[in-house]
Amino acid sequence: MRRLSLLGCIAALLVSQSVLATRYPLPPEGSRLVGSTQVITVPEGNTLPLEAFAARHELGLSNMLEANPGVDPFLPRPGTQLIIPQQLILPDTVREGIVVNVAEMRLYYYPKDGQSVEVFPIGIGQAGRETPRNWVTHVERKLAGPTWSPTPNTRKAYAQEGKTLPAFVPAGPDNPMGLYAIYIGRLYAIHGTNSNFGIGLRVSQGCIRLRNNDIKYLFDNIPVGTRVQLIDQPVKTTTEPDGSRWLEVHEPLSRNRAEFESTKKVPLPIAPALRAQLVSAGGEAALERRSGMPVRIGM
């Protein structure tokens, strides 16, 4: 299913925000449920788009849309109650370095002190220019003031839209990579942006995009050599120490152009046996709804 094609309209509406990551105390081994859901009310006289509320609470636009279906993304109606989905299930991975879950468009950073996890919303690659989905690498280098040399294919794609893209973009506030870049592998980077949109959307050429204050925080705190793992987990489950079972389901990324253009939901990439187990535990509605929020499905 198309994962938001509102970019051109939304871009003109968005505002910059100055919040940083959501920090959660790291739960003990055997537990992966953190945070809590909030509810806010859109104030009277509101003139801000949904993205502004997402940025204020350190979420991506997709996170807000999953949790609040039917809300006007351009101008939420005053008096509307918005769910702020800040409860989540940590990915089922090692708690080390950076973990990027492209399916939920979040970056998890585990500081070396082992006491917390910091969660950042991200923008990822467009359909056909994918951010890697199953990859373990590391931070190779960091650069303040990155330059950008778009590939010939990127320039051609822009030209087809009637836009002229230079072969080289110097460092500075007009650079699409923003003011800081953390390079992972040879071809990809975690970087900032020169536009106040795209967080929680598929907008990049394959790299991982963060709001500017977020990338500066990571740039200042993450050393070269840090482990980086990219995963694709639209379905996350956990059985907590008290025996409760939880299920978090995100709309999966389209796998090809046909799925991206379709109005149908993308099939969830889970094994039939796991689906049957989740359905028998009361998770069928959560699998269908795909709210991006943990749902308790049984003991």
Side-chain angles (χ1 to χ4, degrees):
M1 183 172 64
R2 187 184 296 270
R3 189 87 181 257
L4 294 179
S5 57
L6 304 173
L7 300 183
C9 296
I10 290 178
L13 295 171
L14 304 187
V15 296
S16 62
Q17 302 291 329
S18 58
V19 293
L20 291 175
T22 302
R23 177 177 294 171
Y24 301 93
L26 200 62
E29 290 295 334
S31 173
R32 293 195 290 119
L33 185 68
V34 299
S36 60
T37 298
Q38 304 178 43
V39 177
I40 65 170
T41 301
V42 177
E44 292 299 321
N46 175 58
T47 60
L48 298 176
L50 189 61
E51 156 65 17
F53 295 93
R56 186 176 299 164
H57 295 278
E58 192 57 18
L59 296 164
L61 185 56
S62 62
N63 303 136
M64 291 292 286
L65 288 171
E66 285 181 332
N68 299 278
V71 170
D72 186 346
F74 302 101
L75 190 64
R77 184 185 309 169
T80 299
Q81 289 194 319
L82 295 179
I83 297 173
I84 307 300
Q86 289 184 330
Q87 185 180 47
L88 50 86
I89 297 172
L90 298 178
D92 188 13
T93 61
V94 297
R95 299 175 177 180
E96 178 185 350
I98 292 173
V99 175
V100 173
N101 188 1
V102 295
E104 62 178 312
M105 300 198 195
R106 284 186 176 123
L107 182 153
Y108 296 81
Y109 170 51
Y110 295 90
K112 287 188 175 182
D113 63 13
Q115 301 299 311
S116 64
V117 56
E118 299 175 355
V119 184
F120 302 80
I122 59 173
I124 62 171
Q126 304 170 31
R129 299 172 184 169
E130 312 290 344
T131 299
R133 300 188 184 185
N134 296 285
W135 185 32
V136 177
T137 183
H138 64 276
V139 173
E140 290 199 350
R141 61 190 177 97
K142 303 190 298 182
L143 181 64
T147 60
W148 183 45
S149 298
T151 66
N153 285 339
T154 297
R155 297 179 67 199
K156 181 178 179 181
Y158 272 72
Q160 291 173 346
E161 298 177 1
K163 302 174 184 177
T164 300
L165 194 62
F168 176 80
V169 181
D174 295 328
N175 193 301
M177 295 188 68
L179 299 178
Y180 301 93
I182 299 172
Y183 292 91
I184 56 175
R186 294 179 56 240
L187 300 176
Y188 297 95
I190 301 169
H191 62 77
T193 179
N194 67 333
S195 300
N196 297 320
F197 76 100
I199 305 304
L201 298 174
R202 300 181 71 176
V203 294
S204 79
Q205 305 299 308
C207 290
I208 297 163
R209 179 181 297 184
L210 286 92
R211 294 186 178 105
N212 286 326
N213 283 351
D214 289 346
I215 185 60
K216 184 175 190 311
Y217 176 83
L218 289 176
F219 185 91
D220 289 343
N221 287 278
I222 291 179
V224 171
T226 297
R227 183 182 191 271
V228 179
Q229 181 176 11
L230 289 87
I231 61 174
D232 182 11
Q233 291 184 7
V235 179
K236 298 185 291 182
T237 64
T238 181
T239 300
E240 292 298 289
D242 64 2
S244 62
R245 299 182 65 188
W246 297 77
L247 170 63
E248 178 183 329
V249 185
H250 296 264
E251 186 67 39
L253 300 176
S254 53
R255 298 166 295 183
N256 50 55
R257 175 58 61 175
E259 285 186 347
F260 182 73
E261 297 289 347
S262 175
T263 58
K264 297 180 181 179
K265 288 187 173 182
V266 176
L268 289 170
I270 57 175
L274 177 58
R275 175 184 285 275
Q277 183 184 67
L278 294 172
V279 169
S280 67
E284 185 172 11
L287 291 169
E288 177 64 24
R289 166 70 175 80
R290 306 180 184 185
S291 69
M293 297 182 291
V295 176
R296 187 167 179 169
I297 61 173
M299 296 295 289

